[in-house]
Amino acid sequence: MNLFAEAIAWMLAPAQWTGNYALPKLLGEHLALTAISVLIAAAIALPIGWVIGHTGRGREIAVAVSGAARAIPAFGLMVLLVLLLGVLRIPEAAIITFVLLAIPSLLAGAYTGLEAIDRRVIDAARAMGMTEWQIFFKVELPLGLPLLLGGIRSALLQVIATVTIAAYVNLGGLGWPIIQGIPLRRFDQVLAGAIIVAVLALVVDLLLAAAQRAAVPAGLRPPRAVRRRSAAPVAASAPA
């Protein structure tokens, strides 16, 4: 408990809010690295995932590639890329690492969102004379949006957690207090950095969870009365 209180005191100290390593500046760097990486990954993964989901072809290859990408250790990959690209290309090496980390979740969210749609809905759209582009934009994309947001949610959380290693190559971010505090044995600082990263991930997760629920089309949401009836047995079975 004392260590937790010391970590809170470290975060609230005026010295942590000014200078080159101020917490707001580190937070901005962390968010910038995360946003750039996920946007690049989305530009690569989403079109591929949508093609797979729309055509039903290439799913096995996508699953194999995604599984292989998930198995690569992020820190080891970043160090390897720094050695291959050179010390002048450290930002590029870090971005490539985070992009590769985000691609599997985005790819899975894109194609599973389309695969989960009832094929009879797609057949009905074709029977109405819709073109393939119209089917994608007016039927598949809206219905697949909740699962797509789930993939984005997973990718963002993974990248937010992993961007902490960017401090190892002097790119800043919220990993800096952790990396700096370990050799100095400043465990209050290390815990403070970990708490900030955890809180950031939790806030992003809650926001995207709300967006994911809101993205479910109104026609697919169960009526409130149904939700209340389904919740009633759970409440009744709870111990007094």
Side-chain angles (χ1 to χ4, degrees), residues 63-72:
V63 171
V65 171
S66 297
R70 291 178 190 273
I72 299 174

Side-chain angles (χ1 to χ4, degrees), residues 53-132:
H54 182 76
T55 63
R57 300 173 184 172
R59 187 180 189 279
E60 294 77 10
I61 297 175
V63 171
V65 171
S66 297
R70 291 178 190 273
I72 299 174
F75 181 70
L77 176 61
M78 187 175 69
V79 172
L80 176 62
L81 289 173
V82 169
L83 294 176
L84 292 176
L85 299 177
V87 294
L88 298 179
R89 299 288 184 181
I90 287 177
E92 290 87 343
I95 292 295
I96 292 172
T97 301
F98 304 142
V99 166
L100 292 177
L101 179 69
I103 282 177
S105 297
L106 293 170
L107 184 62
Y111 71 73
T112 56
L114 270 58
E115 284 183 344
I117 300 171
D118 191 336
R119 292 297 97 184
R120 291 173 296 182
V121 176
I122 307 300
D123 294 339
R126 288 198 177 100
M128 293 174 61
M130 286 188 176
T131 65
E132 294 302 311

Side-chain angles (χ1 to χ4, degrees), residues 31-235:
L31 292 174
L33 286 170
T34 300
I36 292 170
S37 302
V38 173
L39 286 174
I40 295 174
I44 298 171
L46 296 189
I48 297 174
W50 284 331
V51 169
I52 293 172
H54 182 76
T55 63
R57 300 173 184 172
R59 187 180 189 279
E60 294 77 10
I61 297 175
V63 171
V65 171
S66 297
R70 291 178 190 273
I72 299 174
F75 181 70
L77 176 61
M78 187 175 69
V79 172
L80 176 62
L81 289 173
V82 169
L83 294 176
L84 292 176
L85 299 177
V87 294
L88 298 179
R89 299 288 184 181
I90 287 177
E92 290 87 343
I95 292 295
I96 292 172
T97 301
F98 304 142
V99 166
L100 292 177
L101 179 69
I103 282 177
S105 297
L106 293 170
L107 184 62
Y111 71 73
T112 56
L114 270 58
E115 284 183 344
I117 300 171
D118 191 336
R119 292 297 97 184
R120 291 173 296 182
V121 176
I122 307 300
D123 294 339
R126 288 198 177 100
M128 293 174 61
M130 286 188 176
T131 65
E132 294 302 311
W133 282 110
Q134 289 174 325
I135 291 172
F136 173 71
F137 283 109
K138 295 183 178 181
V139 179
E140 290 180 321
L141 192 57
L143 293 178
L145 186 57
L147 286 179
L148 174 60
L149 286 174
I152 295 173
R153 177 182 175 186
S154 178
L156 276 171
L157 293 178
Q158 288 177 326
V159 174
I160 286 173
T162 310
V163 165
T164 54
I165 67 175
Y168 272 108
V169 289
N170 202 30
L171 289 181
L174 293 174
W176 175 255
I178 301 173
I179 304 305
Q180 185 194 45
I182 291 175
L184 297 176
R185 300 182 65 83
R186 289 292 308 273
F187 299 117
D188 56 339
Q189 178 177 327
V190 174
L191 179 58
I195 290 172
I196 296 171
V197 174
V199 170
L200 175 62
L202 181 61
V203 170
V204 171
D205 184 50
L206 291 174
L207 291 174
L208 285 175
Q212 191 174 356
R213 288 193 297 270
V216 177
L220 298 180
R221 299 176 190 172
R224 290 186 178 181
V226 174
R227 291 201 296 267
R228 289 171 183 169
R229 285 198 299 269
S230 64
V234 176

